[in-house]
Amino acid sequence: MKIAVLPGDGIGKEIIPQAIKVINAIKEKYSLDIEIEYGDIGGEAIDKYGTPFPESTKKLVLEADATLLGAVGGPKWDNLPFEKRPERGLLALRKVLKTFANLRPAKVYDELVSASTLKEDIVKGVDILVIRELTSGIYFGKPRGVFEIENFPLREYYSEDELKGNKVGINTLKYTDEEITRIAKVAFEAARKRNKKVTSVDKANVLEATSFWREVVEQVSKDYPDVELNHMYVDNAAMQLLRWPKQFDVILTTNMFGDIISDEAAALTGSLGMLPSASLGGEKGLYEPVHGSAPDIAGKDLANPIATINSVGMMFNYTFNRPDIEALIDKAVREVLKEYRTKDIYSPGTKLVSCSQMGDLISRRILDLN
Ligand code: IPM
Ligand code: MG
């Protein structure tokens, strides 16, 4: 098992070592042959190589069986031109690995119901899988960029009135039927193993590309008569997630809506620091916490490493076909949470611990569990 590890920036450098403790505990417990190799991505790679996704990192991830990523970005690089920013490194990584299917499970642990800002009866038992299209849509559509009006590639489509001023910024929402079909299949397959319900989220009342999305999803659903399908506009979905999240099983959506909806789903679980993710569909999986590099708390040993640790669980399940190891990690996390909390999920009566202490506790618990 060869794992490429890219800590990245900010708290990425603090949460990844905790995930490594967990990997080492698993390695010891099951006598597995696991090899870890580190690479640079994001702001750190910009500082070292002048690019957020250097060739050496590309080579590393293509040679590994799976990639584990921390987080990228930070105020230090926020003023760079877009093509040079840390976030572009992450987008390039996803594209190179062809991981079009991003799975973001938002499961509310009973132990953590009190950490949510929502009422207990609303969040207790919530178990949602957000499936976000990850390598197309408005994140990758062309044309894109900021242009002087005279160089604007779509000039002919607009009246003079619509192009008043000096410059114009543009991004493009694009999906082909093939791209929609393959992500829809992932959602229906996943729903089959869960509660057999898919909610496809779009803005079909306004955006043609997403009305097309709805049409294609409807088509794909014909092969899955055992799975219930409904459609929801994204504004309504955002509201329904807060109003009654238990109505959802699998949420299938576009790249940008998925980015937004998954942060909202994370908040149901008590903290963005709890949400893991797996990005699949290419030959190799990419695993990363849903949260970012959190510059405001970086360097303070305050971050919650559980999203990253649970991403390691997803890696054992999806890349190494060891759902038993994912279940064991999940169990260790839950047991530790009964007593210990990082600051983001702290509640009175539990013990407050640092990021690194949380890593120690979970990895030790893994070794102790039968
Ligand atoms: C996420 C993040 C990324 C995204 C950023 C850091 C590029 O917000 O993984 O949700 O927008 O995809
Ligand atoms: Mg996001």
Side-chain angles (χ1 to χ4, degrees):
M1 301 174 174
K2 198 167 167 191
I3 307 172
V5 176
L6 315 176
D9 309 314
I11 60 166
K13 291 196 171 51
E14 297 164 50
I15 52 178
I16 286 291
Q18 314 319 316
I20 298 296
K21 288 175 192 169
V22 165
I23 293 174
N24 285 334
I26 297 290
K27 183 174 173 177
E28 185 182 328
K29 195 176 180 87
Y30 296 93
S31 307
L32 296 177
D33 185 10
I34 300 178
E35 206 183 299
I36 290 170
E37 267 195 62
Y38 289 89
D40 298 306
I41 193 164
E44 191 187 43
I46 294 172
D47 292 348
K48 277 196 203 167
Y49 309 93
T51 159
F53 189 58
E55 274 304 312
S56 52
T57 302
K58 183 172 168 186
K59 187 161 175 282
L60 176 72
V61 299
L62 287 174
E63 279 169 8
D65 299 308
T67 296
L68 178 66
L69 177 106
V72 297
K76 182 173 173 197
W77 306 282
D78 277 351
N79 293 324
L80 288 174
F82 266 87
E83 7 11 296
K84 299 212 168 111
R85 283 166 72 152
E87 290 79 1
R88 281 295 164 90
L90 179 51
L91 298 190
L93 172 65
R94 291 169 176 170
K95 200 73 175 174
V96 156
L97 291 175
K98 302 192 174 82
T99 51
F100 65 85
N102 183 215
L103 276 48
R104 301 187 157 186
K107 210 168 168 175
V108 176
Y109 289 167
D110 282 349
E111 295 81 0
L112 276 191
V113 164
S114 60
S116 177
T117 51
L118 297 175
K119 289 189 193 130
E120 181 166 335
D121 65 316
I122 304 277
V123 292
K124 195 165 194 262
V126 163
D127 182 358
I128 300 170
L129 177 62
V130 178
I131 298 192
R132 167 189 180 194
E133 197 293 321
L134 201 63
T135 53
S136 187
I138 200 167
Y139 270 51
F140 292 90
K142 291 169 234 173
R144 66 186 301 157
V146 179
F147 301 89
E148 302 287 341
I149 300 251
E150 55 267 33
N151 300 327
F152 182 46
L154 301 181
R155 236 167 105 187
E156 56 183 296
Y157 291 90
Y158 294 91
S159 69
E160 225 166 86
D161 212 38
E162 289 168 314
L163 285 179
K164 266 195 200 128
N166 303 312
K167 287 180 167 187
V168 53
I170 182 154
N171 286 95
T172 303
L173 172 59
K174 162 257 176 192
Y175 274 113
T176 65
D177 52 356
E178 198 264 351
E179 287 170 332
I180 303 166
T181 301
R182 66 185 186 181
I183 188 75
K185 282 185 181 162
V186 173
F188 285 105
E189 293 291 338
R192 257 190 185 156
K193 297 192 193 127
R194 297 170 45 99
N195 290 322
K196 301 194 169 45
K197 185 174 172 192
V198 170
T199 302
S200 175
V201 171
D202 59 40
K203 189 71 186 174
N205 50 344
V206 177
L207 303 174
E208 289 84 346
T210 75
S211 148
F212 178 52
W213 171 283
R214 185 178 284 217
E215 210 177 282
V216 176
V217 171
E218 198 64 51
Q219 200 58 39
V220 174
S221 79
K222 292 190 177 140
D223 293 333
Y224 300 87
D226 52 321
V227 178
E228 183 194 334
L229 168 68
N230 69 333
H231 303 275
M232 219 178 251
Y233 298 140
V234 64
D235 48 351
N236 184 30
M239 187 263 285
Q240 295 295 339
L241 261 176
L242 297 183
R243 195 188 66 82
W244 193 241
K246 274 178 259 194
Q247 68 186 284
F248 296 105
D249 176 25
V250 172
I251 294 180
L252 162 65
T253 192
T254 63
N255 203 340
M256 185 156 87
F257 293 161
D259 179 44
I260 300 165
I261 289 284
S262 62
D263 266 32
E264 194 187 356
L268 303 173
T269 70
S271 167
L272 194 49
M274 294 297 296
L275 220 67
S277 85
S279 302
L280 310 172
E283 275 166 41
K284 297 134 194 271
L286 164 65
Y287 301 86
E288 47 171 318
V290 167
H291 63 70
S293 59
D296 52 323
I297 58 162
K300 297 182 180 156
D301 201 15
L302 280 179
N304 182 349
I306 294 177
T308 314
I309 288 171
N310 283 342
S311 301
V312 169
M314 294 185 89
M315 176 188 298
F316 278 107
N317 181 5
Y318 289 107
T319 293
F320 300 121
N321 202 13
R322 292 293 301 264
D324 58 315
I325 295 181
E326 183 183 35
L328 182 94
I329 293 174
D330 188 66
K331 190 167 178 213
V333 167
R334 281 170 190 252
E335 288 195 2
V336 169
L337 281 175
K338 282 184 192 146
E339 252 184 286
Y340 302 95
R341 303 288 172 82
T342 43
K343 198 171 168 212
D344 55 321
I345 49 175
Y346 176 76
S347 57
T350 59
K351 298 189 189 89
L352 183 64
V353 296
S354 66
C355 177
S356 51
Q357 285 170 321
M358 189 54 105
D360 290 337
L361 286 161
I362 295 171
S363 51
R364 252 185 263 135
R365 190 65 60 110
I366 285 171
L367 289 171
D368 290 346
L369 282 173
N370 293 318

